[in-house]
Amino acid sequence: MEKAAFERWLESVSTSFLALSDQQRNQSLDHLISLSGAAQLRHLSNGLEALLKRDFLRLLPLELAFYLLRWLDPQTLLTCCLVCKQWNKVINTCTEVWQSVCRDLGWRIDESIQDAVHWKGVYLKAKLRMKQLREEDAFETSSLIGHSARVYALYYRDGLLCTGSDDLSAKLWDVRTGQCVYGIQTHTCATVKFDEQKLVTGSFDNTIACWEWSTGAKIQQFRGHTGAGWCQALSANGTKKIIFSIDYNDELDTLVSGSADFTVKVWSLSAGTCVNTLTGHTEWVTKVHLQKCEVESMMHSPGDYILLSVDKYEIKVWPIGCEINCKCLKTLSVSEDRSVCLQPRLQFDGRYIVCCSDLGIYQWDFASFDVIRVIKPQQEPSSLSLLGFGDVFALLFDNHHLHVMDLRTEVTVGRWPLPAYRKSKRGSSFLPGVTSWLNGLDGKNDAGLVFATSMPDHSIHLVLWRENG
């Protein structure tokens, strides 16, 4: 048929088709389809797909497409990436969407990185890590062997673990390699703290000593704690002489110590002399902690150094650098009748005080000293001990397991079995490792030491992050 004749015919047919009812149009189309060959059917199929399947993601402005994508769950987003190249391109340019799903998993977000593909990769890694936590596959274990008597004191920083033992030695270990970096002869260690140059130890002989790593020489000794009250009756086994806890700050030239004589002593770190004795505790002082304050109240300002001391029932807050016989700023407890015991584990970051008790985990706001949160775990609270408390996660443990709790939901999201470690009411024979991940995982801080404890065979049991593949 000639082109002109065909166009006249087509116009006539079109006019007639438009005059038909819907049912007649359908019958006409069915008849034409039945007369069509493969080429016509293929052409019809391609045309119908373009007319009936409208790609809204391609047609919408990017701002509206991004808004809609925020309502999708992560698994649906990943499925949408497989629809076509255009969808994958759009979804992989929506930075806020991937940052949001990472944040929901407890991941720390660096707002300066505006690369959606980066955050998509972070999400996939985060999803794997959270799956490993749920399935008890996030950690691995190792041991440090070298002491010949019980290990009672542990302290960790920057990939190095210090151990103090009844074999009259202290050792410094590289956690990554398991190698002993330094080993020096000391007194019996009940508590330790170290830096690059020195080691400070508190002993069962009622003294504190400062040692030089490089030579092993004792460069300072601190004497002054004594037995007190009913502790005199315990002198047979030496319990009354224990230095339970120490902390120091080179900037302040200050060392603080808590003892079984119910006192806290403040020392000149360089001179070895006692400059202050803080009284008021009626139980063993099992923990002392020096920290710079980050909030303001009627009692302190940001930048002030604060000393916290803990006994069986109370947490006392002290100023540092004040006059002799300075007064306690505040006493905190979880029960006025002293019926609820505090565990010898304390965390203070300058903003909040966190301590575990027989009733659960208590968090105080340091500006007001008010209890702002009480977390009662699913299992019996008295069986759990606090290791670390962050903005997103808390690390807890009991006699059998490590527990990772999501603080946003107060639900345990992971755990890890523990061996029969050496029990200690003071709590110094176990400690957390790297704790920055408690404020949110970032893909880099889930590495290194998670937990360490001393064992009955004098070894050190380590729990470490498994490499996230």
Side-chain angles (χ1 to χ4, degrees), residues 337-351:
D337 61 357
R338 298 165 70 89
S339 61
V340 180
C341 296
L342 298 175
Q343 295 181 3
R345 314 289 304 173
L346 175 80
Q347 182 171 314
F348 176 47
D349 62 1
R351 299 173 298 150

Side-chain angles (χ1 to χ4, degrees), residues 104-397:
D104 290 343
L105 280 179
W107 231 250
R108 191 184 302 173
I109 303 302
D110 183 352
E111 300 289 351
S112 65
I113 301 177
Q114 292 296 309
D115 180 359
V117 175
H118 165 82
W119 290 113
K120 181 183 177 182
V122 169
Y123 166 73
L124 293 173
K125 186 174 183 180
K127 183 183 177 184
L128 174 60
R129 183 58 94 193
M130 299 309 293
K131 179 176 182 288
Q132 290 173 338
L133 282 171
R134 289 192 303 272
E135 297 177 354
E136 299 187 18
D137 193 37
F139 307 130
E140 58 189 10
T141 61
S142 114
S143 295
L144 303 176
I145 300 173
H147 285 290
S148 59
R150 69 173 180 173
V151 177
Y152 212 58
L154 302 171
Y155 186 81
Y156 174 82
R157 64 172 280 176
D158 301 334
L160 299 173
L161 178 69
C162 180
T163 57
S165 170
D166 278 356
D167 62 10
L168 303 182
S169 76
K171 297 182 183 295
L172 189 65
W173 308 83
D174 184 322
V175 170
R176 184 179 61 83
T177 64
Q179 298 299 308
C180 181
V181 180
Y182 287 114
I184 61 176
Q185 295 299 306
T186 63
H187 47 194
T188 304
C189 298
T191 180
V192 296
K193 183 177 180 179
F194 73 91
D195 55 41
E196 293 83 355
Q197 285 79 38
K198 62 183 177 295
L199 165 69
V200 180
T201 60
S203 177
F204 291 91
D205 65 9
N206 212 28
T207 66
I208 304 163
C210 183
W211 314 80
E212 187 175 57
W213 280 122
S214 59
T215 65
K218 184 191 296 184
I219 54 179
Q220 195 59 264
Q221 189 156 9
F222 307 82
R223 295 181 179 273
H225 280 290
T226 61
W230 60 270
C231 286
Q232 296 285 357
L234 302 176
S235 59
N237 61 15
T239 305
K240 76 179 183 70
K241 296 182 178 182
I242 296 178
I243 306 296
F244 284 117
S245 179
I246 56 172
D247 200 0
Y248 67 83
N249 184 284
D250 287 310
E251 179 184 344
L252 298 176
D253 187 34
T254 297
L255 168 74
V256 294
S257 57
S259 168
D261 63 10
F262 305 164
T263 69
V264 177
K265 288 191 178 291
V266 183
W267 312 81
S268 166
L269 185 58
S270 58
T273 56
C274 180
V275 297
N276 214 338
T277 298
L278 309 179
T279 60
H281 284 285
T282 56
E283 298 284 342
W284 297 349
V285 182
T286 53
K287 181 70 176 178
V288 291
H289 184 71
L290 271 175
Q291 178 68 41
K292 187 178 288 188
C293 174
E294 295 184 7
V295 294
E296 176 136 17
S297 78
M298 294 182 62
M299 299 180 183
H300 48 71
S301 301
D304 292 347
Y305 276 94
I306 298 295
L307 167 62
L308 300 186
S309 57
V310 185
D311 65 26
K312 188 177 182 180
Y313 301 107
E314 295 177 337
I315 302 170
K316 290 187 178 292
V317 182
W318 310 86
I320 284 292
C322 296
E323 69 280 358
I324 301 299
N325 299 323
C326 65
K327 302 298 182 183
C328 176
L329 296 177
K330 189 71 176 179
T331 298
L332 307 174
S333 64
V334 297
S335 62
E336 295 183 1
D337 61 357
R338 298 165 70 89
S339 61
V340 180
C341 296
L342 298 175
Q343 295 181 3
R345 314 289 304 173
L346 175 80
Q347 182 171 314
F348 176 47
D349 62 1
R351 299 173 298 150
Y352 305 105
I353 299 172
V354 182
C355 194
C356 209
S357 76
D358 293 344
L359 297 180
I361 303 169
Y362 280 72
Q363 184 180 26
W364 288 266
D365 176 53
F366 196 62
S368 63
F369 295 115
D370 293 332
V371 175
I372 59 173
R373 192 173 188 182
V374 180
I375 299 174
K376 296 185 177 180
Q378 298 165 344
Q379 56 265 67
E380 185 66 27
S382 60
S383 69
L384 282 175
S385 294
L386 176 70
L387 284 167
F389 193 96
D391 296 332
V392 180
F393 300 108
L395 184 63
L396 311 167
F397 76 110

Side-chain angles (χ1 to χ4, degrees), residues 83-103:
V83 171
C84 64
K85 290 182 178 180
Q86 178 63 22
W87 280 41
N88 186 57
K89 181 179 178 181
V90 172
I91 295 170
N92 282 345
T93 56
C94 188
T95 302
E96 291 183 9
V97 168
W98 292 110
Q99 286 181 338
S100 176
V101 297
C102 288
R103 192 178 289 109

